[in-house]
Amino acid sequence: MAEFSLDSSFIPALHKPAALLPVARYRDQLLYVIETFPVTIVIGQTGSGKTTQIPQFLERAGWCADGKIIGVTQPRRVAATTVALRVADEVGCEVGKEVGYSIRFEDVTSSATRIKFLTDGLLIREALVDPLLSRYSVIMVDEAHERSISTDILLGLLKKIRRKRPDLRIIISSATLQAEDFLDFFTISSEGKATTRTADAEEGVAKIVSLEGRTFPIDILHLAAPTENYVDKAIDTVFDIHTHEGPGDILVFLTGREEIDTAMRAVSEKVSQGGDQYAGFQALPLYAGLSSEEQMHVFDKAPEGRRKVVFSTNIAEASITIDGIVFVVDCGFVKLRAYNPRTGIETLTATPVSKASASQRAGRAGRTKPGKCFRLFTEDDFHNLPEANTPEIQRSNLAPIVLQLKALGIDNVVRFDYLSSPPSEFMSKALELLYSLGALDEYAKLTRPLGLRMAELAVEPMMAKTLLSAPSYGCLSEMLTISAMTSFGGSIWFYHDGEQKAMERSRRKFAADEGDHLTLLNAYSAFVTKGKKEARFCHENHINYKTMTQAVSIRAQLKRYLERFGVDTSESLASHQGESELKLKAENIRRCLTSGYFAHAARMQPDGTFRNVEGDMTMHAHPSSLLFNRKADWVIFHEVMETGDKTFIRDITKIEKGWLLEAAPEFYKLSDKRAELP
DNA sequence: TTCGGTGGG
């Protein structure tokens, strides 16, 4: 027999044969339940094959007759595309033909498409055009247990649509045992909910089907006594695993970049000081702020004889799956957003994880063989954890959601059938802001065209207002850029360890006296004139290339929307402009920003901190802002965020006090709390 | 004097 190496002669199958997946045994049962009940709730662990197989079962069973299609939603873009590619491969078609996907900026579907994967946010937007989602015979909402805002809103819409479309089939898929909540939601009518919860449960509407998972057993260990410092404890645990346990990679859950950097440094110090027993580590960081290139390193196999240790934020809980993890170390905390409706401030605080999260994290250890999970908290602590975290919709600014619901024709946003109703103060705050922006009239009805257009633009309400007033300030092209540059959460600037000063020098090259918005405009202009051609431009200037190309796409999309509204978007050719013209242009941009961001105004105090208009809150310029450590008087800002014991404002631009009154006379006149303005 | 979990259009 000829000699061959196992490694080079065999290519591992990318996907397990579908017939071997647990879901295959449930095919007939699933088809029967879906046929019989309008709503099916599928409980299936990762690896059960539900996402890839159920749509194919349905298609073959004839659910795409009459040209209708099967829609499968995902909470994340990357999931929608990868699952579509896999299913297209199994079906044996090119992606975009019978099987396709649709995410923002990428519609890979055609008239032949029968199974379509898409983000839940995008399906909500489809409902703006087609309120009954009439193209779909079946809609499967995957990963519903994550309870993202979009998923929750979508489920509310589907419940409403179902009454008008008895033929529609809804499948809710959930990895944990929160299925009862979904069952209650679909079987109890909203009227019934208002009176007695149990009285009006509708029989025969929804049914739960539980699929067997295919994960390996995981040993879960808790601390005997609580720890004071979980970062130190995590590092000790990693070294204990290394010396006492068999081979296998380690995944450590921490809460943020700072902790991850600390852990990375501690490991490399120990490795350099310690003896042989500490050798052989490959430590890697993982968090969203890294460039995608850096994130990819966590998928590399550790060099022979070395053990991979990934220090990660919550991104590894659901968004990024690393195979080969045998040990999980869970610090027991996660940073979660909270919203204070009185101040309008979102905070980011480390919070104990939920039981659902803890078991999801533990499950990351058993994907390829039996694993172990070390929890850095006691078993008592575990029993005291909440079953699930507060759904996002109950801890976020609701202005974007209210605007979207109004545009979907849901006038009474308070009585909308939410899976979990948001607190009423959140609702009033959102209505107040939308009214002052002119998106709602005094009866809280959506205004036309302004409110409707704001809802259609894929940016936050304050920025949408700014963009729609830009033509009257003669700065539409600039505002398109600024909107695009501020509408993705993160920063365009990034740096590796020790390069922070160099990054700050690069950033200063684009600085504008007026503040951060004009600085972003300068950076974008430089990118489209030089950066697109020269590969080195981004690298040399510490700019994230991927983020910049994203900004280019967002800008183009916003421009198309405005064209559809009949706005003239033709760019005034940048003829040579003199100093005074540039100043005037900059002033118009600042006035325009004030027209949308008047509610985010602040004044610098003699000590360099900022005070809000009501005068009851002290805020600091974020160190990433140009106005950090610089003099200013009145400013508007894009974002305010509280971390630890300080409140920071980000993306700040200088304005004149008088512009605030011009932009929102009622907002400033009616309230006697706005002390500092006449 | 110095910071930010994760998503989506």
Side-chain angles (χ1 to χ4, degrees), chain A residues 209-221:
Chain A
V209 178
S210 201
L211 309 179
E212 194 181 297
R214 197 184 47 186
T215 45
F216 294 90
I218 296 155
D219 272 342
I220 293 178
L221 300 100

Side-chain angles (χ1 to χ4, degrees), chain A residues 64-342:
Chain A
C64 295
D66 321 329
K68 290 259 196 324
I69 62 175
I70 297 161
V72 184
T73 71
Q74 296 291 327
R76 282 169 291 278
R77 295 161 53 92
V78 61
T81 56
T82 53
V83 178
L85 290 169
R86 187 189 304 178
V87 174
D89 184 50
E90 286 182 12
V91 168
C93 75
E94 208 179 304
V95 69
K97 293 289 167 45
E98 287 77 13
V99 180
Y101 68 88
S102 193
I103 57 177
R104 187 181 189 185
F105 308 129
E106 270 183 80
D107 182 14
V108 188
T109 61
S110 62
S111 54
T113 301
R114 296 156 78 88
I115 300 175
K116 172 170 158 184
F117 293 89
L118 72 171
T119 49
D120 38 27
L122 198 63
L123 187 60
I124 294 173
R125 293 188 76 85
E126 281 189 12
L128 282 174
V129 187
D130 176 11
L132 293 180
L133 297 173
S134 54
R135 300 175 58 202
Y136 298 92
S137 58
V138 183
I139 291 170
M140 175 165 164
V141 182
D142 208 1
E143 314 285 356
H145 62 277
E146 288 186 20
R147 302 291 309 272
S148 74
I149 289 179
S150 304
T151 303
D152 273 20
I153 295 293
L154 181 59
L155 291 174
L157 289 176
L158 288 174
K159 183 171 176 182
K160 212 171 148 74
I161 290 169
R162 195 185 73 75
R163 281 186 224 117
K164 294 186 184 147
R165 277 198 59 196
D167 58 310
L168 177 70
R169 286 300 177 267
I170 300 165
I171 303 171
I172 315 291
S173 122
S174 171
T176 51
L177 289 161
Q178 291 160 296
E180 294 289 336
D181 294 342
F182 297 119
L183 187 78
D184 286 352
F185 178 65
F186 279 100
T187 51
I188 298 172
S189 71
S190 52
E191 291 78 18
K193 233 158 98 179
T195 53
T196 52
R197 274 199 74 91
T198 48
D200 296 336
E202 219 180 317
E203 293 291 322
V205 172
K207 190 165 173 65
I208 296 177
V209 178
S210 201
L211 309 179
E212 194 181 297
R214 197 184 47 186
T215 45
F216 294 90
I218 296 155
D219 272 342
I220 293 178
L221 300 100
H222 295 92
L223 287 185
T227 172
E228 285 288 306
N229 183 330
Y230 59 71
V231 179
D232 288 348
K233 193 73 191 172
I235 294 155
D236 293 345
T237 308
V238 163
F239 283 105
D240 283 347
I241 293 170
H242 189 48
T243 45
H244 296 114
E245 300 282 346
D249 296 335
I250 308 174
L251 173 62
V252 185
F253 283 101
L254 296 173
T255 69
R257 177 179 181 161
E258 203 179 314
E259 286 174 9
I260 290 168
D261 286 346
T262 308
M264 293 286 295
R265 274 195 300 273
V267 167
S268 67
E269 272 168 29
K270 277 214 176 187
V271 167
S272 63
Q273 303 161 355
D276 287 348
Q277 75 269 31
Y278 291 148
F281 270 114
Q282 166 97 333
L284 295 163
L286 180 62
Y287 48 88
L290 292 173
S291 69
S292 43
E293 198 184 23
E294 288 168 305
Q295 288 184 352
M296 294 307 275
H297 291 312
V298 303
F299 299 114
D300 298 343
K301 232 182 135 202
E304 190 61 35
R306 295 177 83 181
R307 193 196 291 271
K308 181 161 75 180
V309 189
V310 179
F311 291 101
S312 173
T313 62
N314 219 30
I315 194 171
E317 191 180 302
S319 308
I320 292 181
T321 300
I322 312 161
D323 274 327
I325 296 294
V326 179
F327 306 101
V328 162
V329 179
D330 179 4
C331 77
F333 286 85
V334 62
K335 278 190 185 168
L336 284 183
R337 177 171 45 209
Y339 178 69
N340 180 337
R342 194 186 63 78

Side-chain angles (χ1 to χ4, degrees), chain A residues 219-226 233 330 358 373-383 385:
Chain A
D219 272 342
I220 293 178
L221 300 100
H222 295 92
L223 287 185
K233 193 73 191 172
D330 179 4
C373 174
F374 299 85
R375 289 183 175 153
L376 305 181
F377 45 93
T378 66
E379 197 159 1
D380 276 355
D381 290 339
F382 174 78
H383 290 301
L385 292 176

Side-chain angles (χ1 to χ4, degrees), chain A residues 402-590:
Chain A
V402 170
L403 188 59
Q404 198 155 37
L405 288 174
K406 293 269 179 187
L408 286 164
I410 293 148
D411 259 329
N412 194 340
V413 289
V414 177
R415 295 292 301 274
F416 180 68
D417 209 344
Y418 299 95
L419 219 78
S420 308
S421 293
S424 58
E425 316 90 88
F426 287 37
M427 199 56 88
S428 348
K429 182 80 177 180
L431 289 167
E432 186 196 341
L433 176 69
L434 291 171
Y435 171 71
S436 66
L437 287 170
L440 302 180
D441 65 19
E442 63 219 89
Y443 306 105
K445 287 243 187 250
L446 194 69
T447 58
R448 280 157 208 268
L450 181 61
L452 185 62
R453 288 177 177 179
M454 282 172 63
E456 287 182 10
L457 283 172
V459 291
E460 248 87 279
M462 291 198 283
M463 188 53 89
K465 172 67 185 294
T466 305
L467 202 47
L468 289 168
S469 23
S472 62
Y473 290 94
C475 58
L476 182 56
S477 173
E478 290 81 4
M479 278 316 309
L480 279 167
T481 301
I482 291 170
S483 302
M485 292 287 279
T486 50
S487 68
F488 42 77
S491 167
I492 62 159
W493 315 98
F494 82 104
Y495 59 94
H496 298 102
D497 245 4
E499 287 177 6
Q500 189 172 350
K501 284 275 174 290
M503 182 277 288
E504 280 166 11
R505 275 196 300 279
S506 301
R507 201 170 57 194
R508 226 168 291 139
K509 280 196 262 176
F510 303 98
D513 283 343
E514 293 87 350
D516 298 315
H517 294 94
L518 282 130
T519 304
L520 289 171
L521 180 63
N522 290 342
Y524 183 93
S525 309
F527 175 76
V528 290
T529 51
K530 291 184 212 132
K532 275 178 155 175
K533 287 168 231 142
E534 290 174 43
R536 287 180 320 180
F537 174 86
C538 282
H539 184 74
E540 284 171 359
N541 289 292
H542 299 89
I543 286 174
N544 189 334
Y545 181 83
K546 196 181 83 184
T547 314
M548 290 306 296
T549 52
Q550 229 177 310
V552 172
S553 306
I554 296 174
R555 189 182 187 283
Q557 191 188 43
L558 293 173
K559 192 173 168 203
R560 281 197 302 276
Y561 271 112
L562 289 169
E563 278 160 7
R564 238 190 40 216
F565 300 154
V567 175
D568 179 13
T569 61
S570 53
E571 317 265 332
S572 58
L573 281 171
S575 57
H576 181 73
Q577 287 184 311
E579 184 98 344
S580 61
E581 283 146 309
L582 284 174
K583 276 280 167 237
L584 186 66
K585 177 69 104 180
E587 181 178 321
N588 283 335
I589 293 170
R590 290 154 61 214

